[in-house]
Amino acid sequence: MKTVLISGGGIAGSALAHWLRRRGFAPTVVERAPAPRTGGQAVDIRGAALTVVRRMGLLDEVTALRTRMRGMSVLDADGKELSRSTESTFSSGRLDSDDLELLREDLVGVLYEKARAEAEFVFGDAVAALDQDEHGVQVLFESGRRRGFDLVVGADGLHSAVRRLAFGPTEQYLQHLGMHLAVFGAGNFLGLDNWQVWLRDGSAGYGISPVRDNTELRITFGFESGPLDPGPRGTDAQRQLVADRMAGLSWETPRLLQALWAAPDFYADAMARISMPSWSAGRAVLLGDAGYCASPLSGQGTSLALVGAYVLADALGRADGDHRVAFARYEQRMRPFVELNQALATENPGGPASEASVERAKNAIALDD
């Protein structure tokens, strides 16, 4: 049984672990965090990705966890309502769609529970070095352990360690999209009832969504900026940078900034795309954001991860152990789908892509049975 190391225990990594085990591989998932990661914004499962979830037998479970938004309001700088909609929200699109929106941490939890009995999970460690030859890959972990695997998959996000080790510095492949986002949770001190609120003033703004039966908020700050170097993600220096950029906004901004400093799940990063001429190098291959991040601005990162996991495992299963054939098929099948979905991030600067573009992109791949 061929062994596969998956770096990253998020959506892409856990989904891939399930599908690889179904196809006769022995997957091991290594995740730097001490447990499945919590926090984060709501994510969307759309189009072909719904088929993947259905084939995993998880559609009912995921549907039960979906958000229940009734609509949204768009506010001016002083909090005055400019417009409202009961038909769609900026985060999920049309409310009458079959697409599913749920919290990232809920989806990660569901996928982990599905995969944990089928794969080995190693938490609190990460890949430090890779040494490939014609027989396999020797992996050095940050803990100092060494293990050999037949293949290595980088499903470790925008700042992928596997990509850096196997393909070179991130700067070669990252396209900054001129914006930074910060996401964190708080109690529902605004009393929102399944209703989103969006405010923008100039180059900065935020969106607020009630979650967990309206007991909590997920707050997303956004501001336009070129590349920044705020130091390690999640630090006080990064919180201060975000707070400084948002301080000029009015309405409930002071209370939101207090929540930012108190939030244990604060996360911030640049909005960026990853574009690469190839997603494989020898026995290493990239999946999801590590290989083709579309950024949250596309609304399709989760769907790309789920579909990519299915297509990669399917290609490996059909290739009779020849990873070169499998990786080539994986790229051939996925690249047109990726390119259409990545284009959504820049179709309408400052706003969502058109419904027609989203519909075309989310269904632009036919999955093999």
Side-chain angles (χ1 to χ4, degrees), residues 18-101:
H18 164 76
W19 289 116
L20 285 177
R21 193 69 185 87
R22 287 270 297 268
R23 285 160 175 79
F25 293 82
T28 294
V29 180
V30 61
E31 166 57 52
R32 182 185 299 276
R37 293 180 186 266
T38 58
Q41 74 276 32
V43 297
D44 298 292
I45 305 174
R46 294 170 166 162
L50 287 169
T51 301
V52 173
V53 172
R54 184 180 300 109
R55 292 180 182 179
M56 294 181 81
L58 296 175
L59 185 60
D60 289 345
E61 188 173 355
V62 169
T63 300
L65 294 168
R66 72 186 305 175
T67 60
R68 304 290 177 181
M69 294 299 139
R70 298 181 295 110
M72 68 172 183
S73 296
V74 178
L75 311 181
D76 67 11
D78 297 319
K80 179 181 177 181
E81 186 175 79
L82 297 175
S83 63
R84 62 169 40 213
S85 174
T86 57
E87 297 180 353
S88 65
T89 68
F90 289 153
S91 67
S92 65
R94 291 195 60 84
L95 298 178
D96 61 359
S97 170
D98 291 333
D99 300 341
L100 297 175
E101 181 189 62

Side-chain angles (χ1 to χ4, degrees), residues 196-244:
Q196 287 185 1
V197 175
W198 296 85
L199 179 148
R200 178 159 182 164
D201 183 18
S203 62
Y206 46 76
I208 309 171
S209 297
V211 297
R212 304 274 185 246
D213 293 326
N214 297 310
T215 62
E216 300 177 19
L217 300 176
R218 284 295 189 273
I219 301 160
T220 302
F221 283 167
F223 58 89
E224 296 177 7
S225 173
L228 299 171
D229 184 17
R233 295 181 299 283
T235 62
D236 283 351
Q238 192 177 49
R239 291 181 196 249
Q240 188 63 61
L241 185 152
V242 172
D244 290 345

